[in-house]
């Protein structure tokens, strides 16, 4: 092992990625005496790394919060020894990854076999450090964490808008693709649509982007090694400037999602766009609820039908029980007609809130834009003008004098 003493300071090239004045907090779990000594010498030579705790057991009680165990707020890094009990270490890594997704987990082991490295990565570890620890190996791993944290602080985060139908056929994908294209082309915003339908996702078809290899759920499976280069292999580019991560092309078996993986993926995506529009299937599950908790706005798209309105009530009740703030829920009435059998007043009485937006019924024009794979082809239609007004409300960039004056709704949406 290349010895690490205070005479071997942290290299300046990697030091640049460590956050100035705000040290990275590190917790170690079950490290052997030699590895712990190496880590302590490393921290002594790198004042921007702070050792918070050394935990001597793998076990986390089922009733105990991970944050109660590793510390709250969660540390930036956990070094977890996989040699004493690999199965227990993997279970602990999974718990930390699920409950503290912002914490980077480093597996530490004397066994460098590729299958063991893959197992550790699948349990939520982002780095695999081989014993005896080498100063440069440890430094580079910590510097990557510092670089990601610095990037998050320097970049503004995207607004994440979820779109979910009260039932199938309410026009969720149409609204999401139209609104996304308008934000991208009309208001020069960096916009991404993520199609999270497991089966029968249509966003790629509506945008005329039908040739692709990878889809959104494969991206989530690779969240631990996400970087800008990997992301580009998943993203499809529309001529409006809109980006898309599509749904699976065929019918595939349901893919189990590691707890925390969706939230971690979207945290990465937030740093690269200004708006992320999520096309969700009508059904609700724990994975989607995890994402919805982190969304800035949840748009429930309905039509003036009894079954759809009943489901709006069910969905809002469900979200309320799951402690989703009511002020983040919006009801969008699609295919609105002034002479509808069910009036606007009746709808608002049934759902118990005001309609946030009404998109006029122009089925023929919308069908033409869908068939041509161009959401902007019917720009002069009433529906397109209506959606452009919505896009302008959330996407228009105020000039500097307006920005100083306005701190209300428009200012919030335009940040």
């Amino acid at each position: 092992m290349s010895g690490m003493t205070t005479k071997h300071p942290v290299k300046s090239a990697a030091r640049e990625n460590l956050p100035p004045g705000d040290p990275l907090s590190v917790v170690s779990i079950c490290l052997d005496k030699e590895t712990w000594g190496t880590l302590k010498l490393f921290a002594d030579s790198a004042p921007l790394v702070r050792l918070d705790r050394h935990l001597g057991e793998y076990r986390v009680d089922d009733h105990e919060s991970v944050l109660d165990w590793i510390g709250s707020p969660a540390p930036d890094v956990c070094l977890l020894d996989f040699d004493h009990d690999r199965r227990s270490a993997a279970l602990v890594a999974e718990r930390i990854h699920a409950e503290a997704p912002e914490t980077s987990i480093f597996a530490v082991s004397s066994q460098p076999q590729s299958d063991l490295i893959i197992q550790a990565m699948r349990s939520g570890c982002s780095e695999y450090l081989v014993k005896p620890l080498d100063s440069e190996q440890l430094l580079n791993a910590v510097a990557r964490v510092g670089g990601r944290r610095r990037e998050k602080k320097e970049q503004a985060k995207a607004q994440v808008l979820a779109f979910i139908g009260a039932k199938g056929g309410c026009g969720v994908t149409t609204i999401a693709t139209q609104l996304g294209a308008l934000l991208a082309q009309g208001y020069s915003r960096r916009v991404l649509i993520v199609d999270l339908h497991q089966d029968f996702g249509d966003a790629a078809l509506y945008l005329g982007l039908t040739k692709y290899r990878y889809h959104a759920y494969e991206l989530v499976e690779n969240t631990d090694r996400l970087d800008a280069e990997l992301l580009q292999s998943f993203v499809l580019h529309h001529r409006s400037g809109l980006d898309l991560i599509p749904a699976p092309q065929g019918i595939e078996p349901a893919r189990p999602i590691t707890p925390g993986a969706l939230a971690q993926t979207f945290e990465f995506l937030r740093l690269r766009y200004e708006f992320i529009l999520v096309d969700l299937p009508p059904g609700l599950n724990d994975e989607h609820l995890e994402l919805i908790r982190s969304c800035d706005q949840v748009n429930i798209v309905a039509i003036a039908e009894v079954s759809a309105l009943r489901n709006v009530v069910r969905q809002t009740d469900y979200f309320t029980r799951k402690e989703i703030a009511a002020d983040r829920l919006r009801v969008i009435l699609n295919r609105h007609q002034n002479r509808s059998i069910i009036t606007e007043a009746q709808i608002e009485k049934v759902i118990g809130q005001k309609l946030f937006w009404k998109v006029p019924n122009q089925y023929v024009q919308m069908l033409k834009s869908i068939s041509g794979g161009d959401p902007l082809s019917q720009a002069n239609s009433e529906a397109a003008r209506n959606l452009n007004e919505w896009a302008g409300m959330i996407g228009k960039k105020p000039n500097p004098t307006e920005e100083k004056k306005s701190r209300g709704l428009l200012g919030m949406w335009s940040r």
Side-chain angles (χ1 to χ4, degrees):
M1 178 180 79
S2 60
M4 186 191 316
T5 69
T6 53
K7 294 182 180 179
H8 293 275
V10 176
K11 293 184 179 179
S12 59
R15 185 190 289 271
E16 292 177 2
N17 277 332
L18 298 177
D22 187 10
L24 291 170
S25 59
V26 178
V27 166
S28 65
I29 301 172
C30 294
L31 291 185
D32 59 76
K33 183 180 293 186
E34 181 181 358
T35 305
W36 165 249
T38 302
L39 177 62
K40 193 171 186 309
L41 284 173
F42 173 80
D44 290 342
S45 69
L48 297 177
V49 174
R50 182 185 72 242
L51 291 181
D52 278 355
R53 288 190 183 189
H54 176 63
L55 303 172
E57 292 183 304
Y58 287 114
R59 182 177 59 82
V60 182
D61 293 334
D62 290 339
H63 65 274
E64 183 180 18
S65 164
V66 159
L67 294 180
D68 290 340
W69 188 55
I70 63 175
S72 181
D76 296 296
V77 178
C78 272
L79 270 74
L80 177 56
D81 198 306
F82 269 64
D83 279 349
H84 299 306
D85 186 340
R86 185 166 287 271
R87 183 176 180 278
S88 295
L91 292 174
V92 169
E94 289 175 2
R95 282 284 304 272
I96 295 172
H97 184 63
E99 297 185 35
E102 293 296 311
T103 297
S104 297
I105 308 169
F106 295 179
V108 183
S109 175
S110 59
Q111 302 181 60
Q113 293 93 327
S114 59
D115 59 328
L116 298 180
I117 295 174
I118 291 171
Q119 289 174 10
M121 295 302 180
R122 285 176 175 169
S123 69
C125 299
S126 59
E127 302 280 349
Y128 195 92
L129 307 181
V130 179
K131 297 178 184 178
L133 285 186
D134 174 77
S135 60
E136 186 172 352
Q137 179 192 25
L138 182 56
L139 170 61
N140 289 336
V142 171
R144 281 191 286 272
V145 175
R148 288 194 293 269
R149 196 173 86 169
R150 186 179 65 179
E151 183 182 47
K152 286 183 179 181
K153 288 186 175 182
E154 289 176 351
Q155 291 179 284
K157 288 189 175 183
Q159 294 285 313
V160 179
L161 315 180
F163 292 80
I164 185 169
K167 65 172 193 172
C170 287
V172 172
T173 303
T174 301
I175 289 176
T177 52
Q178 295 265 340
L179 191 64
L182 287 164
L183 281 167
Q185 181 165 294
Y187 298 94
S188 301
R189 292 294 196 169
R190 299 191 309 278
V191 185
L192 173 71
I193 292 179
V194 182
D195 190 340
L196 284 181
H197 286 74
Q198 283 273 15
D199 303 309
F200 308 116
D202 289 327
L205 178 66
Y206 284 23
L207 294 168
L209 303 171
T210 55
K211 294 181 180 180
Y212 55 91
R213 293 178 59 191
Y214 306 115
H215 56 73
Y217 287 94
E218 290 173 319
L219 179 71
V220 174
E221 289 172 355
N222 288 277
T223 187
D224 287 323
R225 60 188 194 92
L226 252 181
D227 57 25
E229 183 178 354
L230 180 64
L231 176 62
Q232 286 309 307
S233 64
F234 286 85
V235 171
L236 306 178
H237 305 285
H238 188 260
R239 56 182 172 271
S240 65
L242 172 68
D243 283 353
L244 169 71
I245 299 177
Q249 293 196 64
I251 300 175
E252 300 186 1
R255 292 172 176 262
I257 299 175
T258 303
L262 260 180
Q264 186 176 344
T265 301
F266 273 82
E267 277 301 301
F268 177 86
L269 296 175
R270 275 180 181 263
L271 301 177
R272 284 153 179 81
Y273 292 91
E274 293 175 283
F275 290 92
I276 300 174
L277 280 53
V278 188
D279 186 352
L280 287 168
L284 295 169
N285 56 42
D286 290 341
E287 290 86 2
H288 293 156
L289 183 64
E290 173 195 326
L291 172 62
I292 286 170
R293 289 186 189 280
S294 64
C295 287
D296 299 282
Q297 190 179 97
V298 182
N299 297 287
I300 303 172
V301 181
I303 53 178
E305 291 183 4
V306 172
S307 59
L309 298 177
R310 179 190 61 172
N311 286 350
V312 170
V313 175
R314 289 173 166 178
Q315 287 171 320
T316 52
D317 285 348
Y318 173 79
F319 289 137
T320 301
R321 291 199 307 273
K322 295 297 182 178
E323 299 181 344
I324 307 296
D327 61 1
R328 289 161 54 199
L329 304 177
R330 303 284 188 270
V331 179
I332 315 301
L333 182 63
N334 195 20
R335 301 177 198 144
H336 169 64
Q337 301 180 82
N338 290 326
R339 296 185 178 182
S340 176
I341 295 174
I342 305 176
T343 67
E344 184 178 334
Q346 290 172 325
I347 291 171
E348 292 181 340
K349 183 177 180 180
V350 168
I351 66 175
Q353 61 179 290
K354 287 283 187 181
L355 292 167
F356 177 74
W357 204 264
K358 296 173 290 184
V359 181
N361 184 22
Q362 288 203 301
Y363 182 76
V364 174
Q365 288 83 354
M366 291 295 102
L367 188 60
K368 286 180 180 178
S369 68
I370 291 169
S371 301
D374 184 1
L376 304 177
S377 63
Q378 303 295 311
N380 292 323
S381 69
E382 183 185 356
R385 291 195 300 270
N386 172 277
L387 289 170
N388 190 54
E389 184 182 348
W390 185 0
M393 185 185 77
I394 65 177
K396 185 179 180 182
K397 298 178 182 178
N399 63 44
T401 55
E402 289 176 339
E403 193 169 20
K404 289 179 181 178
K405 293 179 181 178
S406 175
R407 299 297 180 200
L409 180 62
L410 181 58
M412 178 186 72
W413 277 110
S414 301
R415 64 186 172 90

